[in-house]
Amino acid sequence: MSNNPVKTIAVLTSGGDAPGMNAAVRAVTRVSQTYGLRVLGVRRGYAGLLKDEMSELAPSDVGNIVERGGTFLYTARSQRFMEKEGRQEAAAILRSHDVDALVAIGGDGTFRGALELSKEGINVIAVPATIDLDLACTDYTIGFDTAVNTAMEAIDRIRDTSTAHERISVIEVMGRKAGYIALWTSIACGAEEVLLPETYDYNDRALIDRIKERVAAGKKQHIIVNAEGIGQSESLAARIENATGIQSRATNLGYLQRGGSPTCKDRVYASLMGEKAVDALLAGHRNRAIVHLDGEFKDIDLAEALNMTKEIPENYLALTVNLVRHFHK
Ligand code: F6P
């Protein structure tokens, strides 16, 4: 490693926080230090980078954070960084600290920002962290596992009280554009209906008719998982109550899905991804995305990663229907 061109790296977290971001920062920091690299922690994502909010991280600075949700580097969204001048400024700030590469941990917006920054001559490695699982280049994103487990536990609790009162519950989970949290939790919790932004046809009539059919067959309680991107859970619950005569309630799980101590999987995978980011830099790779594909952690070209597309798996969707086709009352 003595002729490794990378001597100083910067690391930041950006966009919506995700449980496991701390584990990733810790791994980037400690693995880098194992190879004698200097690590600068940038506070408040790209917004903080533009204000030169960075300082050297000692190994002890990343102690006692692996088990914590949120991000100890803080996070933000930056309007200024979306402009070319902003990114030129950010690149100049990184150069003024002799930074050879930036590790940017976050979701789609963070990845796109990283790609644009690479066009200003900064070597960037993007690490996927978003509870939404909506990056096409990877089948795992840091934080998704914790978020779906948190949402699953909450839905189970709502089911208990909903069943006790023989009510219908509409439960809104996060995912403005992506329905993965809704899809996974609906399978895990045996939801009667799941509404995804990618597939919902906004035909409330058909949805209400299916519920009425089940009610006519004697079913007294329903769980309907609704993604944030569709929203309107309160009014949907009111329409269902009017149509069925069964008390219906809406619960929005909101930000509680983003917080909390990361699961073991999120801690371990985030650590492996952090390590992979440093490995890529030490191997001389430039402008890469760290991904988990076909059971393996890899680094792939960042521009190619952002050109990839993925769809909600049809078999998962079909399963949500088949698992509750023969219901108990
Ligand atoms: O972290 C992902 C996400 O939770 C999306 O599901 C949601 O649309 C967005 O972040 C909301 O985040 P904020 O309110 O912090 O902008």
Side-chain angles (χ1 to χ4, degrees):
M1 300 290 168
S2 56
N3 54 4
N4 159 49
V6 178
K7 304 271 182 272
T8 298
I9 68 165
V11 58
L12 59 76
T13 52
S14 170
D17 60 302
M21 277 182 159
N22 282 328
V25 174
R26 172 176 174 265
V28 168
T29 305
R30 293 211 170 142
V31 173
S32 296
Q33 286 157 347
T34 304
Y35 294 107
L37 308 187
R38 188 167 74 108
V39 181
L40 301 178
V42 180
R43 265 80 187 171
R44 299 175 186 82
Y46 295 130
L49 172 56
L50 281 166
K51 292 184 186 153
D52 204 349
E53 291 185 38
M54 66 178 93
S55 57
E56 190 161 346
L57 293 176
S60 60
D61 289 331
V62 290
N64 293 325
I65 62 166
V66 72
E67 75 284 12
R68 281 165 43 196
T71 162
F72 91 108
L73 286 178
Y74 300 96
T75 185
R77 302 185 202 272
S78 168
Q79 226 18 69
R80 175 93 183 113
F81 193 78
M82 290 186 188
E83 296 157 16
K84 187 165 175 64
E85 295 73 39
R87 293 190 296 272
Q88 285 171 335
E89 233 174 85
I93 290 170
L94 287 167
R95 280 192 201 99
S96 75
H97 289 278
D98 297 321
V99 170
D100 301 303
L102 173 70
V103 177
I105 303 169
D108 187 65
T110 304
F111 272 48
R112 290 187 192 280
L115 180 63
E116 292 308 312
L117 186 60
S118 74
K119 295 175 187 165
E120 305 305 328
I122 300 294
N123 184 14
V124 289
I125 307 287
V127 176
T130 164
I131 66 164
D132 289 341
L133 193 69
D134 61 345
L135 277 162
C137 58
T138 180
D139 55 28
Y140 165 82
T141 61
I142 295 167
F144 176 73
D145 189 60
T146 306
V148 283
N149 277 289
T150 302
M152 179 187 75
E153 283 174 22
I155 295 169
D156 285 348
R157 285 164 199 246
I158 293 166
R159 181 188 277 284
D160 287 346
T161 169
S162 195
T163 305
H165 286 266
E166 300 177 278
R167 282 176 177 157
I168 295 172
S169 278
V170 178
I171 304 170
E172 190 168 315
V173 297
M174 269 188 160
R176 205 170 282 166
K177 294 191 189 126
Y180 292 96
I181 297 177
L183 183 65
W184 278 60
T185 54
S186 69
I187 293 174
C189 299
E192 280 71 23
E193 296 283 345
V194 58
L195 314 183
L196 311 178
E198 295 91 336
T199 58
Y200 189 51
D201 58 5
Y202 291 86
N203 185 352
D204 282 11
R205 196 38 39 223
L207 169 75
I208 290 172
D209 284 348
R210 286 196 300 275
I211 296 170
K212 277 167 80 177
E213 259 175 53
R214 292 193 203 97
V215 169
K219 190 154 184 60
K220 294 205 176 56
Q221 51 100 13
H222 272 79
I223 297 292
I224 298 151
V225 175
N226 182 29
E228 175 192 359
I230 295 162
Q232 310 289 322
S233 296
E234 289 279 353
S235 61
L236 180 59
R239 287 198 298 284
I240 292 170
E241 182 166 314
N242 280 339
T244 61
I246 296 181
Q247 276 191 334
S248 303
R249 296 281 189 269
T251 308
N252 186 347
L253 298 186
Y255 288 103
L256 74 82
Q257 297 159 93
R258 253 191 1 206
S261 179
T263 58
C264 184
K265 179 173 178 175
D266 273 333
R267 296 181 199 191
V268 173
Y269 275 33
S271 302
L272 288 164
M273 283 187 154
E275 177 189 48
K276 194 81 197 163
V278 180
D279 286 351
L281 288 173
L282 293 176
H285 298 181
R286 293 187 65 81
N287 307 328
R288 311 291 283 177
I290 306 302
V291 299
H292 186 259
L293 279 177
D294 308 319
E296 256 184 81
F297 291 99
K298 316 175 190 186
D299 63 291
I300 64 171
D301 180 73
L302 180 56
E304 276 172 31
L306 281 167
N307 275 333
M308 292 165 81
T309 53
K310 78 171 167 187
E311 312 236 312
I312 289 284
E314 272 183 24
N315 61 316
Y316 281 49
L317 253 187
L319 188 60
T320 63
V321 177
N322 289 333
L323 285 173
V324 294
R325 198 179 289 281
H326 303 286
F327 53 83
H328 71 88
K329 295 172 182 173

